[in-house]
């Protein structure tokens, strides 16, 4: 199944073209890393997939259902809010800045959308939350509040919160960029675990070794475009394009 | 002396009645209008902007007079004094609460909205469960100030002859020439406002669990 299918999408902020004609197909089970210089449109690309940004050109299909359709000179047509929410809840997203709900405990953070969106019975939602806390290695933190956690712990809670909705694809936007170096490993470990379970994922990251290890596909973005899309070795071992080569040499 | 105190306390009853009725309506309306100002369409925003501008830009006393004397003449109806006072206070305080809650909601990080949306939550769910609970904590200090101001503002109802603390005090002073009555009135106001300060500092402590 084509989990994500973007055709020729464009997105501008004022006069700046953050995405300038991006085509991208993500198939079920693929683990795709997106790398590229800062400002190249990586976050914007992820955010277009789950409707945090509205596109101006192109089409978006998610789970092989049309979501957005923009024609030259016309306002983008999206499906209804309600239908969009049904799709979005099947997409998990993890942000660079965690965005946990500070007024809710760790357990409540993971239960929240299960209760409000999925209408899961509270006992079941709690069981799922505890199981996920175990999975991300935070068994003892269920009662803690986000402010009492380290960055690495916060991000693991955020991953658990997204997983609680049983997403069919996970989007990670630089999940370790806000972390102290010694806390990066514990978060990457969790993402690796998901990769081993063949979760479909798109991971924007600056962790080159990690990208190479977990992905079966790496995308290099530059100036709002996909400059290269290939197997990890094609990009990391024999980067043909000089820009990619410079970038990777700088990152490693 | 005792009868003086009881007479003023009877006035305090009126003061508290106006205080609570105003808050019961003005707070939920203020939250609703704040959301209207943030998420509403152009027309709703425009109407609410004019509303808050008018009500915050003119004296409350003028508004009380207008509701009690003006509206009945304009509409050819009769308005009970208490009802007129309630209406004037509610529309006035709603305007202030609208602005306070608007600022509170706008102070919540964009990431909270985005995380909620990414989880599939609707805008009303996001507001009710994520944004407003956090906004309430942030606006506690200005809301506390409004509560204290409201207690003191209720004394304005004496201008339409409602027997509150202030009016009863004035009546005793002019009848019995006993200036110490002012002190009794002041003490009652101080007790009420201290009660508010106390409750708010308690609430702030209770909500500090997630700092
Ligand atoms: N909300 C926004 N308003 C204005 N400009 C933005 C906004 N979001 C992103 N941009 C701009 O769009 C470009 C792409 O940004 P982004 O997708 O965040 O890049 P990346 O994630 O690759 O660093 C950048 O030049 C950035 O400054
Ligand atoms: Mg980014």
């Amino acid at each position: 199944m084509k989990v994500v299918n973007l055709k020729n999408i464009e997105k501008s902020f004022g006069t700046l073209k953050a995405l300038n004609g991006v085509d991208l197909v993500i198939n079920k089970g693929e683990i795709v890393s997106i790398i590229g210089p800062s400002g190249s449109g990586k976050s914007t690309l992820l955010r277009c997939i789950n409707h945090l940004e509205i596109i101006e050109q192109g089409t978006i299909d998610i789970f092989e259902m049309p979501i957005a359709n923009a024609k030259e000179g016309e306002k983008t047509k999206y499906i209804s809010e309600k239908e969009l929410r049904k799709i979005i809840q099947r997409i998990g997203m993890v942000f660079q800045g965690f965005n946990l709900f500070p007024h809710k405990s760790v357990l409540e953070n993971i239960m929240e959308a299960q209760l409000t969106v999925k209408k899961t019975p509270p006992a079941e939602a709690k069981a799922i939350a505890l199981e996920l806390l175990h999975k991300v290695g935070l068994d003892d933190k269920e009662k803690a509040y986000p402010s009492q956690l380290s960055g690495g712990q916060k991000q693991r809670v955020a991953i658990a919160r997204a997983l609680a909705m049983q997403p069919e694809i996970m989007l990670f936007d630089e999940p370790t960029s806000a972390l102290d170096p010694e806390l990066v490993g514990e978060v990457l470990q969790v993402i690796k675990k998901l990769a081993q379970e063949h979760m479909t994922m798109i991971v924007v990251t600056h962790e080159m070794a990690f990208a190479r290890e977990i992905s079966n596909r790496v995308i290099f973005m530059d100036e709002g475009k996909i400059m290269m899309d290939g197997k990890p070795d094609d990009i990391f071992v024999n980067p043909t394009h000089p820009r990619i080569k410079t970038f990777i040499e700088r990152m490693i | 002396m005792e009868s003086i105190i009881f007479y003023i306390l009877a006035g305090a009853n009126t003061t508290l009645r106006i205080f609570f009725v105003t808050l019961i309506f003005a707070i939920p309306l203020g939250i609703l209008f704040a959301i209207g100002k943030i998420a509403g369409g152009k027309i709703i925003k425009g109407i609410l902007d004019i509303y808050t501008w008018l009500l915050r830009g003119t004296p409350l006393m003028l508004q009380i007079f207008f509701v009690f004397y003006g509206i009945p003449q304009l509409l050819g109806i009769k308005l009970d004094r208490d009802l007129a006072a309630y209406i004037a206070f509610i529309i006035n305080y709603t305007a202030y609460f609208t602005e306070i809650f608007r600022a509170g909601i706008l102070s919540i990080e964009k990431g909270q909205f985005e995380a909620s949306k990414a989880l599939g939550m609707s805008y009303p769910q996001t507001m009710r469960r994520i944004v407003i609970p956090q906004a309430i904590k942030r606006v506690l200090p200005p809301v506390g100030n409004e509560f204290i101001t409201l207690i003191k503002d209720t004394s304005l109802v004496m201008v339409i002859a409602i027997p509150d603390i202030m009016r009863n005090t004035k009546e005793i002073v002019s009848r019995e020439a006993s200036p110490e009555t002012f002190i009794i009135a002041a003490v009652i106001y101080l007790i009420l406002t201290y009660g508010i300060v106390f409750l708010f500092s308690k609430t702030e402590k209770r909500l500090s669990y997630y700092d």
Side-chain angles (χ1 to χ4, degrees), chain A residues 26-156:
Chain A
I26 307 282
N27 291 300
K28 191 169 159 43
E30 275 190 305
I31 296 162
V32 179
S33 294
I34 302 183
I35 60 172
S38 170
S40 57
K42 305 180 298 296
S43 297
T44 307
L45 179 61
L46 284 194
R47 293 163 58 83
C48 286
I49 293 172
N50 74 346
H51 192 52
L52 290 174
E53 302 289 356
I54 291 175
I55 58 165
E56 286 132 17
Q57 266 305 316
T59 61
I60 301 177
D61 291 6
I62 309 281
F63 308 123
E64 297 180 344
M65 282 175 285
I67 301 300
N69 191 334
K71 292 202 187 76
E72 193 80 51
E74 283 176 31
K75 206 166 166 256
T76 313
K77 283 198 193 69
Y78 274 86
I79 56 171
S80 73
E81 281 286 328
K82 207 172 156 193
E83 287 172 286
L84 265 172
R85 277 206 304 278
K86 281 208 189 111
I87 307 273
I88 291 169
Q89 63 171 282
R90 296 164 62 190
I91 306 173
M93 175 129 185
V94 173
F95 301 85
Q96 180 175 344
F98 327 124
N99 296 339
L100 292 178
F101 305 133
H103 60 308
K104 292 186 179 290
S105 69
V106 163
L107 199 67
E108 287 166 343
N109 263 276
I110 306 174
M111 289 172 67
E112 179 61 28
Q114 299 189 63
L115 300 176
T116 54
V117 178
K118 278 200 163 171
K119 316 283 184 208
T120 311
E124 193 184 328
K126 185 174 175 182
I128 291 172
L130 288 171
E131 200 177 301
L132 285 166
L133 272 180
H134 177 69
K135 182 169 185 169
V136 300
L138 292 171
D139 286 295
D140 52 336
K141 293 293 183 195
E142 58 174 285
K143 291 200 177 71
Y145 283 87
S147 59
Q148 299 163 328
L149 303 177
S150 71
Q153 292 170 332
K154 281 184 200 164
Q155 196 59 298
R156 286 187 279 156

Side-chain angles (χ1 to χ4, degrees), chain A residues 135-136 156 159 185-195:
Chain A
K135 182 169 185 169
V136 300
R156 286 187 279 156
I159 294 172
E186 62 191 59
V187 172
L188 295 185
Q189 211 53 48
V190 170
I191 302 175
K192 244 179 240 173
K193 206 188 274 183
L194 293 177

